Amino acid sequence: MTRARETGPTRRVWRGAGLRWDLPEDPRDLDHLLVDARGAAMKLTEFLASAETDAILVAHRGKIVYERYFHGMRPHDVHLSASVAKSWTGLLAALLIDEGMLDADRPLAHYAPELGGTAFGDASIHHLLHMGTVMNYGGRPFYKPLEAQRYFAAVGIVPRPAGYTGPTSVKEHLATAQAVAPPGTEFRYDNGNTEAVAEALRRVTGVSLAELWSERVWARLGADEDGAYCLDSTGTEIACGRYSATLRDLARVGEMLRRGGTVGDRQIVPERVVADLANVPPGPARRALPTGAVRPIGYHNFWWVPDDGHGTFGARGIHGQRLQVSPGRALVIAHYGSHVMSPSVPVPPLEAVFAQIGDHLAG
């Protein structure tokens, strides 16, 4: 999880030439906080060990109150954020929609004509941003875990089997998607939706996703380190889940959003764009069910929205990658993990524990 830049091609996301944004610290002893993890009471440190946490940072009212690193990870190390990266693409899309550069009601094929006639090409940007494309690949029945592995093979994340003759890039993969129902009739979480939106962003701006994310957010954030996107065989960023950053830089994105898009006296993201992130539109995205969840939550512009009364929205990735922003609790939690995904290993209830941390800090 911390070696992506050493195991394959990546593209730098420049941190910019500005000064680092230092978040003040107000350490709190949360190690011994008792939390309820699906009926089992344990100390927070015990829960983090069971969740295979690599690093966690809790910021409350703009101050870092808790920060821990495990498994050899250090503050300056970058870590894969998995599908947390989807939310970066969603935020960029929301920015360009707000500016009128991207039309949410137009189909992807308007921006990428070569994908016309495919499930993603014929879906609107709005439907893509809400995982509303109801598709299969190559005529196969859709089964999410298997299709995720096929996608990883296509873009080179995992080894391809002997005799493999399938797609070998992001765009080739997208071209194999066939619609099986009209867009917007079902919530179907799939990496292709994010890759499709990322392609639209490249077309309307004329720059790579890495350059766009740096220009609009990363280089204006006061980040500690450069970020990095992993690339496919054609040099295209893997937008859906191969972004690496330090823990503090992940938290900086969250704190910027909690503050309504500001860093100091600079408006990085318009406040109206941030406020809209928790406004899930009518439709199937109001009943999204992430892995390990016990009840549906909302999904908007590639952000998860639990409707918990605190205006919370968050980014989630496999193996325990999380960024939770809870304006009503004045809370931001960034979390990296290496939790095993297996039918025999329950997904750690990270969000439930984060809520308990927030309640404790609120007193």
Side-chain angles (χ1 to χ4, degrees):
M1 302 300 281
T2 59
R3 297 290 185 263
R5 293 188 294 190
E6 302 168 19
T7 58
T10 61
R11 180 165 293 132
R12 173 194 185 198
V13 177
W14 186 41
R15 67 163 299 278
L19 297 175
R20 181 177 62 201
W21 180 22
D22 283 321
L23 297 177
E25 300 183 30
D26 182 20
R28 302 282 294 273
D29 180 13
L30 299 182
D31 284 341
H32 299 93
L33 175 67
L34 287 179
V35 298
D36 182 340
R38 293 202 180 97
M42 61 184 74
K43 295 177 183 178
L44 179 58
T45 50
E46 294 172 331
F47 170 75
L48 297 176
S50 71
E52 296 292 347
T53 296
D54 290 331
I56 183 173
L57 184 152
V58 180
H60 186 237
R61 296 174 181 167
K63 298 179 179 180
I64 298 173
V65 298
Y66 188 73
E67 185 175 15
R68 296 289 185 271
Y69 296 86
F70 308 96
H71 304 148
M73 186 175 173
R74 299 162 297 181
H76 61 274
D77 288 333
V78 296
H79 192 290
L80 276 175
S81 61
S83 289
V84 166
K86 288 181 172 67
S87 300
W88 298 172
T89 303
L91 182 60
L92 288 172
L95 278 168
L96 297 187
I97 290 169
D98 181 70
E99 294 171 6
M101 291 184 67
L102 186 68
D103 187 340
D105 295 324
R106 285 193 179 273
L108 173 67
H110 175 77
Y111 303 104
E114 70 277 16
L115 290 173
T118 70
F120 296 115
D122 294 346
S124 70
I125 300 299
H126 171 86
H127 287 136
L128 295 170
L129 284 166
H130 297 90
M131 297 290 176
T133 311
V134 190
M135 87 308 283
N136 62 29
Y137 291 99
R140 299 181 300 270
F142 183 84
Y143 178 55
K144 177 187 167 186
L146 180 58
E147 292 304 340
Q149 290 303 311
R150 288 179 181 273
Y151 171 77
F152 295 156
V155 299
I157 295 174
V158 300
R160 295 168 187 149
Y164 179 83
T165 60
T168 58
S169 69
V170 169
K171 282 185 64 176
E172 286 183 7
H173 175 76
L174 295 180
T176 67
Q178 302 168 333
V180 296
T185 56
E186 181 181 323
F187 179 87
R188 181 168 289 190
Y189 187 88
D190 181 79
N191 293 322
N193 291 285
T194 308
E195 300 298 354
V197 171
E199 188 59 25
L201 301 183
R202 297 183 190 101
R203 299 299 177 94
V204 299
T205 62
V207 301
S208 70
L209 189 65
E211 185 174 345
L212 183 62
W213 180 240
S214 172
E215 175 187 304
R216 292 305 189 101
V217 176
W218 209 252
R220 306 175 66 198
L221 191 66
D224 277 330
E225 304 283 348
D226 292 339
Y229 273 109
C230 293
L231 307 177
D232 74 359
S233 61
T234 68
T236 298
E237 298 96 344
I238 301 172
C240 68
R242 302 295 289 181
Y243 187 80
S244 294
T246 68
L247 179 71
R248 284 203 172 197
D249 286 342
L250 181 66
R252 283 183 173 95
V253 176
E255 182 61 18
M256 177 269 292
L257 294 174
R258 186 194 71 82
R259 298 183 182 205
T262 63
V263 172
D265 59 357
R266 293 178 294 121
Q267 193 76 42
I268 308 302
V269 177
E271 186 175 6
R272 60 184 175 275
V273 172
V274 178
D276 182 63
L277 290 178
N279 293 328
V280 183
R286 287 192 172 180
R287 302 182 301 278
L289 191 66
T291 302
V294 296
R295 63 179 179 274
I297 65 176
Y299 195 77
H300 181 44
N301 290 347
F302 298 148
W303 290 82
W304 297 94
V305 184
D307 190 22
D308 61 356
H310 298 285
T312 300
F313 53 93
R316 295 172 54 109
I318 196 171
H319 305 302
Q321 320 324 317
R322 299 288 192 275
L323 175 63
Q324 182 161 304
V325 182
S326 188
R329 289 190 174 104
L331 181 72
V332 171
I333 299 182
H335 181 276
Y336 282 142
S338 297
H339 190 264
V340 173
M341 293 299 295
S342 167
S344 62
V345 181
V347 176
L350 291 167
E351 282 78 11
V353 170
F354 294 168
Q356 293 172 61
I357 293 173
D359 290 342
H360 172 78
L361 291 172

